[in-house]
Amino acid sequence: MVIKIIIVIAFAAIAVGIGIYSRRHATTVSGFVLGGRNVGPWLSAFAYGTSYFSAVIFVGYAGQFGWKYGIAATWIGLGNAIIGSLLAWWILGSRTREMTHRLKATTMPEFFGKRYNSKGLRIASAAIIFTFLIPYTASVYNGLSRLFGMAFGIPYEYCVIGMAVLTCIYVVVGGYMATVTNDFIQGLVMLVGIVAVIAAVLGNNGGFSEAIVNLSMISSETTEMAGPFVSFFGPDLFNLLGVLILTSLGAWALPQMVQKFYAIKSGPAIKQGAIISTVFALVIAGGSYFLGGFGRLYGGSIEMTPAGTPIFDSIIPTMISGLPDILIGIVVVLVLSASMSTLSSLVLTSSSTLTLDLIKDNIVKNMNEKRQILSMRVLLVLFVAISAGIALVQYNSSITFIAQLMGISWGALAGSFLGPFFWGLYSGRISKAAVWTSFIVAVGLTVSNLFIGFIASPINCGALAMILSLVLVPLVSLVTPKVPFSVLPPHQEGAIDREYDKLIENEAQEASE
């Protein structure tokens, strides 16, 4: 217990120290929100990865989908690495950095407002972000607190409050630079931790070969397939694909993820960041889902509901509960690292969005820079408090599992923004009506399914919303008035593409030199 307490206290002290050190970067709006758009590839890549993978992945998704699909759940982690990291950086990175710099956009709603010349779209997207980041943040609290309860015997409520206070301190003081610097250190802890945990869990089950043999003898409730949990695609390929799409393609349009492209240095940094981010995702996401695939070996120890179904959020904590204290301490810090980095990114995104896209010029006129930073700090604390409150209500009422909370959030956010953001970067033929259509369909589909349940899985519902967004935006734009690129005057339409091609040529030349 002493070892575990020392590890956690040291982690908290480092996080707060970095926040205090980074306060000099948080004196301007650009510095507080984006670190002055001068963040290097290592910090950016780790910030992207640690914002991507939190306790939601390690505890919620790895536990639930490892139980359902066995070793085949590793495909989800591979999809996160290739689609959610590598392709996201290659396809979106340079273009996002260039477009947002030219538009002088610091948030995703500001990008929509300036790209489509619409104040309404800016306000609507800000409202969507604030509303649907809350359930995701609540799910982050949930996963972390379960592990703390297992390791220290601390009540859930105290874990939630402690995490909220610690996050507030370093993000309020240091802003974006405090989050990305902490993300880098936390990412290193995550890399070491996941490798150590996988090795320890497999060792407790006689090694990889014996664990696979034992897993192959377990049957599935949904199929007569022999050895379903060691098969290549698992017992339920369709639903496995739904999870892969949601968690991989969703990263392309989540504001807290895309913001990392706004802040990175131009030039070769984006290509370097793509490689670093992909390797990070392979280890963390691939390792987490691979670990979860062995959850069935602990079937006799997993917490069950009165109906006899497993409590999915308890699977990973059960798997690691028998590890040595030093390893449990590392796991706690691993999940604390993943959760803190994601939470800090979420609350910074939400507070900056509300201040810059809703309050400034709409509620408060002539809002100077000092008042904008103050507003973001106050809202940051408020957002943490609201999401912590919802996490407590959710836990005490057992409304839903971590995975479902994340599915609702990602489905509404990425389903609303994926088409408008992607097509808005590359095409000058997208219309306002198409963007509104994407917003309405995604939010309407996600919310109505939450109450009616016409699609059994909210994860599949979210995946469907993303696909519809990509398809509907160009189709609706064919029959409605387009909004050309607003970066330059209308008579120079197309110049942005020539400038972008020139930028790419310069980057290639710098890289070759």
Side-chain angles (χ1 to χ4, degrees), residues 116 121 416 419-420 423 427-442 467-483:
Y116 296 107
L121 287 175
S416 296
W423 292 112
S427 175
R429 300 178 179 276
I430 304 303
S431 68
K432 292 180 188 178
V435 179
W436 280 113
T437 299
S438 180
F439 287 5
I440 293 169
V441 169
I467 295 172
L468 287 175
S469 179
L470 282 173
V471 173
L472 288 174
V473 168
L475 288 179
V476 174
S477 296
L478 290 175
V479 294
T480 51
K482 68 179 181 179
V483 181

Side-chain angles (χ1 to χ4, degrees), residues 169-187:
I169 291 173
Y170 81 78
V171 182
V172 166
V173 174
Y176 186 80
M177 284 306 298
T179 66
V180 295
T181 306
N182 268 311
D183 289 349
F184 180 73
I185 295 174
Q186 293 161 1

Side-chain angles (χ1 to χ4, degrees), residues 216-479:
S216 69
M217 297 178 182
I218 299 174
S219 60
S220 171
E221 306 87 353
T222 59
T223 179
E224 296 182 358
M225 177 191 300
F229 300 112
V230 295
S231 64
F232 198 65
F233 291 120
D236 188 356
L237 178 58
F238 176 76
N239 284 306
L240 177 65
L241 287 174
V243 181
L244 192 152
I245 292 172
L246 179 84
T247 60
S248 300
L249 199 57
W252 288 38
L254 294 175
Q256 73 272 17
M257 305 291 294
V258 173
Q259 189 182 44
K260 305 303 183 288
F261 300 139
Y262 291 29
I264 195 171
K265 293 178 180 178
S266 60
I270 292 177
K271 295 180 180 178
Q272 296 164 4
I275 297 172
I276 298 166
S277 178
T278 303
V279 173
F280 184 89
L282 281 171
V283 176
I284 300 300
S288 295
Y289 285 109
F290 175 75
L291 175 67
F294 293 95
R296 291 267 178 172
L297 297 179
Y298 296 81
S301 305
I302 302 297
E303 291 182 48
M304 295 289 180
T305 66
T309 57
I311 297 176
F312 296 123
D313 302 344
S314 71
I315 293 175
I316 296 296
T318 299
M319 293 176 69
I320 65 176
S321 62
L323 299 182
D325 282 345
I326 185 67
L327 274 180
I328 291 179
I330 291 174
V331 171
V332 169
V333 174
L334 181 162
V335 181
L336 182 62
S337 297
S339 301
M340 294 285 290
S341 57
T342 302
L343 181 60
S344 62
S345 181
L346 292 172
V347 296
L348 185 59
T349 298
S350 183
S351 63
S352 60
T353 295
L354 281 177
T355 296
L356 302 178
D357 300 304
L358 284 178
I359 297 176
K360 181 186 174 186
D361 298 330
N362 295 313
I363 299 174
V364 179
K365 304 295 182 182
N366 301 320
M367 194 176 189
N368 61 33
E369 197 161 46
K370 186 176 181 180
R371 294 181 69 187
Q372 291 174 45
I373 296 174
L374 176 61
S375 172
M376 284 187 278
R377 285 175 165 148
V378 171
L379 287 172
L380 192 152
V381 174
L382 178 63
F383 183 75
V384 169
I386 292 173
S387 55
I390 292 178
L392 294 174
V393 171
Q394 184 273 326
Y395 177 79
N396 291 319
S397 61
S398 300
I399 294 173
T400 186
F401 295 116
I402 292 177
Q404 278 63 48
L405 282 173
M406 182 176 166
I408 294 166
S409 175
W410 279 42
L413 286 166
S416 296
F417 300 152
L418 182 57
F421 184 71
F422 173 75
W423 292 112
L425 288 176
Y426 283 97
S427 175
R429 300 178 179 276
I430 304 303
S431 68
K432 292 180 188 178
V435 179
W436 280 113
T437 299
S438 180
F439 287 5
I440 293 169
V441 169
V443 173
L445 180 65
T446 306
V447 173
S448 61
N449 188 64
L450 178 63
F451 292 101
I452 302 174
F454 48 86
I455 299 176
S457 168
I459 293 169
N460 289 342
C461 179
L464 176 62
M466 295 177 199
I467 295 172
L468 287 175
S469 179
L470 282 173
V471 173
L472 288 174
V473 168
L475 288 179
V476 174
S477 296
L478 290 175
V479 294

Side-chain angles (χ1 to χ4, degrees), residues 9-33:
I9 291 175
F11 172 86
I14 291 172
V16 173
I18 289 173
I20 295 172
Y21 176 79
S22 301
R23 68 186 186 279
R24 58 194 176 93
H25 297 286
T27 56
T28 65
V29 170
S30 177
F32 190 84
V33 179

